[in-house]
Amino acid sequence: MLLASEFFVVLTGTITSPLEFLRTKKQSEQIKYSDAFRSIAKLVKVRGYLSLWHGWVPTTLRDVPFSAIYWTTYEQLKLLTPDPSSFKFFIFGATAGTIAAVVTLPFDVIKTHRQSELGGGKIITRTTQPRTIDLLMDLYRKGGVQSLFAGILPRILKVAPACAIMISSYELGKIYFSERRINALETDKHL
């Protein structure tokens, strides 16, 4: 089950990677969308369409473990309570999301660095593009552990409520539709 879900995490990340790249570029350079599109068009002209997936490796290294950590943690937390309530679903989702966000934050930092490095007309060639592990080590050498966890508070403030809302909706939806199915089956028995 987990491997199938991880496949969809990779697929989703691959499909949305160009949009993530555009968002990061716009935020890091604080430019208008028209300028961001021009810059990306120039990048595509020089490096080709695959350049739209700049930062895909660290994004995947962030998202796949995030999903595995999130769901594993969430399921373990659920086992602690025989009959979790909607409030517990919310807390468990926020907790699992926070743990997954913290553990995978260094790859989010690298993804942002990798995608924002193409700003200001700087075009990185394939031969000068450092590997993800090299970027991690360089960040660590320059700023220590704290540089790998830059932006931890905003990431937690974004991820924890998102995960809490998502999992609460998922679990309550499961309960609702399960009850509807049971009621429908009982109604069919009486007919």
Side-chain angles (χ1 to χ4, degrees):
M1 170 77 171
L2 196 57
L3 281 175
S5 68
E6 298 309 327
F7 166 77
F8 287 108
V9 170
V10 172
L11 181 63
T12 301
T14 301
I15 291 168
T16 60
S17 188
L19 295 173
E20 178 82 6
F21 181 38
L22 174 64
R23 181 187 63 80
T24 301
K25 189 160 190 54
K26 180 159 178 8
Q27 288 176 340
S28 67
E29 296 179 32
Q30 298 178 359
I31 57 176
K32 294 185 270 180
Y33 278 109
S34 58
D35 294 334
F37 282 120
R38 269 194 293 280
S39 181
I40 287 175
K42 180 180 175 185
L43 177 68
V44 167
K45 187 176 181 180
V46 172
R47 290 197 53 208
Y49 284 102
L50 287 180
S51 63
L52 295 175
W53 282 267
H54 196 70
W56 179 85
V57 170
T59 300
T60 302
L61 290 172
R62 174 197 68 187
D63 292 352
V64 171
F66 180 96
S67 178
I69 293 165
Y70 173 77
W71 284 105
T72 302
T73 304
Y74 175 72
E75 290 298 329
Q76 293 302 310
L77 290 170
K78 255 180 40 175
L79 292 175
L80 298 175
T81 308
D83 189 27
S85 64
S86 57
F87 179 71
K88 289 179 183 169
F89 292 142
F90 191 87
I91 297 301
F92 293 166
T95 302
T98 299
I99 292 167
V102 170
V103 170
T104 60
L105 183 60
F107 293 107
D108 188 56
V109 171
I110 291 302
K111 185 258 333 159
T112 302
H113 277 265
R114 169 113 347 128
Q115 290 179 334
S116 63
E117 74 187 358
L118 296 177
K122 182 180 177 186
I123 303 294
I124 307 293
T125 64
R126 292 186 206 291
T127 57
T128 62
Q129 186 175 337
R131 297 176 311 157
T132 299
I133 190 69
D134 296 333
L135 289 170
L136 281 168
M137 296 308 293
D138 188 49
L139 262 176
Y140 178 75
R141 277 191 294 276
K142 288 179 180 173
V145 172
Q146 65 195 31
S147 66
L148 297 175
F149 290 91
I152 193 167
L153 186 59
R155 180 143 167 86
I156 290 171
L157 291 174
K158 173 191 169 201
V159 170
C163 288
I165 292 167
M166 182 279 300
I167 203 64
S168 297
S169 302
Y170 169 75
E171 292 289 0
L172 294 174
K174 238 175 36 174
I175 292 167
Y176 173 77
F177 288 110
S178 177
E179 288 173 358
R180 283 196 57 167
R181 183 170 182 222
I182 291 168
N183 290 339
L185 290 173
E186 288 177 2
T187 302
D188 288 345
K189 279 183 188 177
H190 297 296
L191 293 178

